[in-house]
Amino acid sequence: MLGKVHVNLLWLFCSMTHTSSPQTVLITGASSGIGYELARLFAADGYHLVLVARSEAKLTTLKQQLETTYSSRVTVLVHDLSQPQVAQSIYDTLAAQQIEIDVLVNNAGFGSYGHFVESDWGKQHDMLELNVVALTHLTRLFLPAMVKRSRGKILNVASTAAFQPGPLMSVYFATKAYVLSFTEAIANELKGTGVTVTALCPGPTESGFQAAADLGEAKLVNGKPLPTSEEVARFGYEALNQGKTVVIHGFKNRLTALLIRLLPRDTVSSMVRSAQESTPSV
């Protein structure tokens, strides 16, 4: 009897030790915006972090802030995920360092504004590589180990753009539709495995996205109050921890996504086109 009690106590101790050890999150696009705020949230909860972005200076500054404020170990990887095979390089680097990823946040992405026929193909190609290929490849690389451990979480940052076609940002909207569809499909496949996949769908957000996409004069955002990156990141973080599959930030955005399903597709395209057009100069 005493032996059995001893074994049970030992098992309980080992279980507590295992679950209390810090987990590690990999966040792409971590140098600014939603990715930056997510890094702060994970660090505050005791995670170790692997931060990926193109700006070494910004990542180094964030690493110093997080390691000083929290007890997190922060690994910085400077990469441009729009370039081929970078996802594999990240995976190989972490494997060599024996860094196990418990949570994957596919946040990196960008948009481009304007008529597709006049667009720069190099920029469109890089957008597809980053928003679609890199996200999918990173998921494929890190997911098997999560399934094997019967635990893990993936957060894919999509957009309210995922719910409709997007004239004047056609490729960007299409990439986010892919992210949403991909997330919903693999979330279904992974039921019962202990691994969850969440698509975060924010609307326009106070971040550097609009400037990078040359979207500042569009009626969709010009002169309108926007939620902060911190608000959106916290919303997504809570949804991830709850294991939700699709979450849309903001009541108006949730209502719009619902109503869009009831309208003819050509009507939706016309509405989006109107919202995307530039505000007339006064």
Side-chain angles (χ1 to χ4, degrees):
M1 180 67 179
L2 287 176
K4 185 176 181 180
V5 171
H6 175 74
V7 169
N8 287 339
L9 287 174
L10 181 62
W11 176 86
L12 179 61
F13 173 77
C14 291
S15 298
M16 291 175 63
T17 302
H18 175 74
T19 55
S20 63
S21 61
Q23 295 191 25
T24 301
V25 57
L26 167 62
I27 305 175
T28 67
S31 61
S32 62
I34 296 171
Y36 174 91
E37 297 297 343
L38 282 168
R40 290 167 57 86
L41 289 169
F42 277 103
D45 270 356
Y47 281 81
H48 293 322
L49 298 98
V50 177
L51 307 179
V52 182
R54 294 181 300 172
S55 174
E56 183 174 7
K58 289 181 179 180
L59 287 181
T60 300
T61 299
L62 179 56
K63 169 184 169 72
Q64 293 170 347
Q65 292 174 350
L66 297 178
E67 289 186 336
T68 300
T69 306
Y70 308 103
S71 58
S72 299
R73 180 187 68 233
V74 180
T75 301
V76 164
L77 298 179
V78 180
H79 286 291
D80 180 355
L81 278 162
S82 68
Q83 299 305 304
Q85 296 304 312
V86 171
Q88 186 67 55
S89 178
I90 291 170
Y91 178 82
D92 292 343
T93 297
L94 297 178
Q97 297 179 21
Q98 297 184 322
I99 296 177
E100 187 177 271
I101 299 302
D102 302 283
V103 180
L104 171 63
V105 177
N106 286 307
N107 166 73
F110 74 92
S112 179
Y113 181 76
H115 292 267
F116 177 73
V117 70
E118 300 169 353
S119 65
D120 176 87
W121 171 245
K123 192 169 186 179
Q124 304 301 319
H125 178 269
D126 287 351
M127 194 192 314
L128 289 165
E129 286 284 348
L130 178 59
N131 295 12
V132 173
V133 178
L135 177 147
T136 308
H137 196 187
L138 284 170
T139 301
R140 180 61 183 85
L141 289 168
F142 289 103
L143 181 57
M146 294 182 185
V147 173
K148 186 175 181 180
R149 294 191 299 266
S150 298
R151 62 177 175 83
K153 296 181 182 298
I154 298 174
L155 178 65
N156 291 328
V157 179
S159 168
T160 52
F163 297 96
Q164 65 265 308
L168 302 181
M169 292 188 74
S170 56
V171 176
Y172 173 75
F173 275 57
T175 65
K176 292 305 180 178
Y178 171 88
V179 172
L180 177 61
S181 177
F182 173 66
T183 300
E184 290 181 294
I186 62 173
N188 177 273
E189 292 177 3
L190 292 167
K191 285 183 178 180
T193 66
V195 180
T196 61
V197 190
T198 301
L200 169 61
C201 301
T205 304
E206 216 175 78
S207 67
F209 176 86
Q210 283 79 24
D214 297 322
L215 190 61
E217 297 302 316
K219 287 183 284 186
L220 180 67
V221 297
N222 190 24
K224 295 181 179 178
L226 302 177
T228 65
S229 295
E230 182 181 4
E231 291 170 342
V232 173
R234 187 171 296 280
F235 176 80
Y237 186 70
E238 292 173 355
L240 175 72
N241 287 329
Q242 293 167 11
K244 294 182 178 180
T245 302
V246 178
V247 290
I248 304 170
H249 181 262
F251 173 76
K252 287 185 179 180
N253 291 329
R254 289 193 289 273
L255 182 61
T256 299
L258 177 63
L259 292 177
I260 280 172
R261 299 176 184 177
L262 307 177
L263 297 173
R265 296 293 282 179
D266 59 344
T267 300
V268 173
S269 294
S270 297
M271 291 170 59
V272 176
R273 170 68 181 271
S274 177
Q276 295 273 82
E277 288 177 336
S278 298
T279 305
S281 301
V282 178

